[in-house]
């Protein structure tokens, strides 16, 4: 697939590529990453810049002690390597993983730096994108230190419910969070031992159920979680 074909399939992409020099367009390559694959790895040399046209990603941080924590989840349009380039650093600071199949267009870092320096449109979009991520991170920064595990897990469940239509007129009868404990640890920031203890406690209190080891909840439990979170935020 060419960049032109990708733009035809995802017209929103042209908001970003409309001023790209023709010679750079010819050198672009389109890649598809399967779900669960690593798009780029922390501490690797950044040799290319990408624009994600389709697919969701997880940004995770891996530490020397083996712990892995999810920093954010992103939907398209998104970038690969924009923070590293804007910071002028040689290596990536985080790992990006494909949550769903991801399709992105890539160019060399050298071409990207030249394009960004000459095109105010793409420069503005990248700066706005980075600023939004910083704003979002700053807005919630400290929550995992301030709130107890029960709050963090219920907050996660409520957000999952919203994402899957529990707040709609005709909500699903129930929702099952089909994720392993390891993934939940990364996304919520609670270690597996504490997570298991918290799940047992919330199950006993009627906030959730378990189906084949996976967290499940219906609308009544979801509403109960919302009400509990609101009371806690007001204290």
């Amino acid at each position: 697939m060419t960049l032109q074909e990708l733009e035809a399939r995802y017209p929103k992409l042209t908001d970003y590529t409309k001023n790209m020099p023709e010679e750079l367009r010819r050198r672009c390559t389109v890649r598809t990453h399967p779900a669960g694959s690593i798009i780029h790895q922390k501490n690797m040399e950044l040799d290319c810049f990408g624009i994600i046209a389709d697919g969701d990603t997880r940004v995770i941080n891996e530490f020397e002690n083996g712990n892995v924590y999810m920093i954010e989840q992103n939907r398209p349009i998104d970038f690969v390597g924009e923070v590293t380039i804007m910071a002028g650093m040689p290596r990536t600071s985080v790992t990006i993983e494909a949550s769903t199949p991801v399709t992105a267009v890539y160019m060399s870092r050298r071409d990207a730096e030249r394009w960004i320096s000459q095109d105010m449109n793409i420069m503005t979009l990248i700066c706005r994108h980075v600023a939004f991520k910083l704003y979002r991170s700053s807005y919630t920064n400290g929550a995992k230190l301030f709130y107890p595990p029960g709050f963090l897990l219920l907050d996660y469940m409520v957000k999952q419910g919203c994402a899957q239509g529990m707040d709609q007129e005709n909500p699903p009868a129930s929702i099952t969070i089909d994720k392993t404990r390891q993934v939940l640890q990364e996304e919520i920031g609670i270690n597996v031992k504490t997570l298991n203890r918290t799940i047992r406690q919330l199950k006993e209190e009627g906030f959730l159920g378990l189906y084949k080891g996976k967290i499940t909840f219906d609308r009544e439990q979801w509403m109960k979680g919302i009400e509990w979170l609101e009371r806690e935020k007001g204290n």
Side-chain angles (χ1 to χ4, degrees):
M1 185 186 298
T2 65
L3 172 56
Q4 186 175 359
E5 291 169 333
L6 191 66
E7 290 169 331
R9 182 175 295 184
Y10 305 104
K12 183 67 176 175
L13 180 61
T14 59
D15 292 343
Y16 297 77
T17 58
K18 60 185 179 182
N19 295 334
M20 186 188 295
E22 188 58 36
E23 60 182 289
L24 268 62
R25 294 177 66 87
R26 290 195 297 267
R27 290 200 289 269
C28 286
T29 58
V30 176
R31 302 180 207 166
T32 299
H33 304 273
S37 63
I38 299 299
I39 295 175
H40 80 192
Q41 185 78 43
K42 180 180 178 180
N43 285 330
M44 296 295 289
E45 289 277 350
L46 182 72
D47 57 3
C48 62
F49 167 77
I51 305 176
I52 296 174
D54 184 50
D56 300 345
T57 59
R58 297 195 319 147
V59 180
I60 58 180
N61 208 342
E62 303 162 288
F63 298 96
E64 292 181 0
N65 61 7
N67 288 331
V68 177
Y69 292 102
M70 188 189 76
I71 300 171
E72 60 191 15
Q73 293 177 294
N74 294 312
R75 306 194 69 185
I77 301 286
D78 197 15
F79 297 105
V80 177
E82 81 282 14
V83 172
T84 304
I85 287 177
M86 298 300 284
M89 302 301 289
R91 297 177 181 273
T92 57
S93 59
V94 294
T95 293
I96 298 181
E97 178 184 278
S99 302
T100 65
V102 166
T103 303
V105 58
Y106 289 95
M107 65 181 68
S108 71
R109 176 170 182 163
R110 182 175 180 179
D111 279 351
E113 289 174 338
R114 175 187 162 198
W115 177 33
I116 293 168
S117 69
Q118 296 174 350
D119 181 2
M120 184 58 68
N121 177 65
I122 191 64
M123 168 72 83
T124 300
L125 291 172
I126 290 174
C127 288
R128 185 178 299 162
H129 188 78
V130 172
F132 173 75
K133 289 184 177 182
L134 179 60
Y135 176 87
R136 182 173 60 185
S137 175
S138 300
Y139 194 79
T140 59
N141 193 31
K144 292 179 181 179
L145 297 175
F146 180 77
Y147 290 114
F151 182 100
L152 298 176
L153 180 54
L154 279 175
D155 184 61
Y156 181 85
M157 287 171 51
V158 166
K159 289 175 180 175
Q160 289 289 310
C162 289
Q164 298 186 47
M166 194 60 88
D167 57 345
Q168 301 301 311
E169 253 185 63
N170 298 304
S174 65
I175 289 174
T176 299
I177 300 178
D178 191 23
K179 297 184 179 182
T180 65
R181 296 290 198 270
Q182 181 61 39
V183 170
L184 290 175
Q185 170 184 280
E186 295 170 11
E187 296 190 354
I188 303 174
I190 306 172
N191 67 59
V192 171
K193 184 177 179 180
T194 302
L195 179 62
N196 287 334
R197 185 170 63 247
T198 305
I199 289 172
R200 287 195 300 269
Q201 179 183 342
L202 293 182
K203 182 176 183 294
E204 290 171 2
E205 295 174 2
F207 286 101
L208 59 85
L210 291 174
Y211 177 73
K212 295 184 178 179
K214 306 294 185 182
I215 294 173
T216 184
F217 54 92
D218 57 25
R219 183 173 172 81
E220 183 179 346
Q221 291 170 317
W222 181 75
M223 290 298 300
K224 182 178 179 179
I226 291 176
E227 291 167 4
W228 187 89
L229 289 170
E230 290 300 320
R231 286 197 303 270
E232 287 299 302
K233 288 176 182 177
N235 291 337

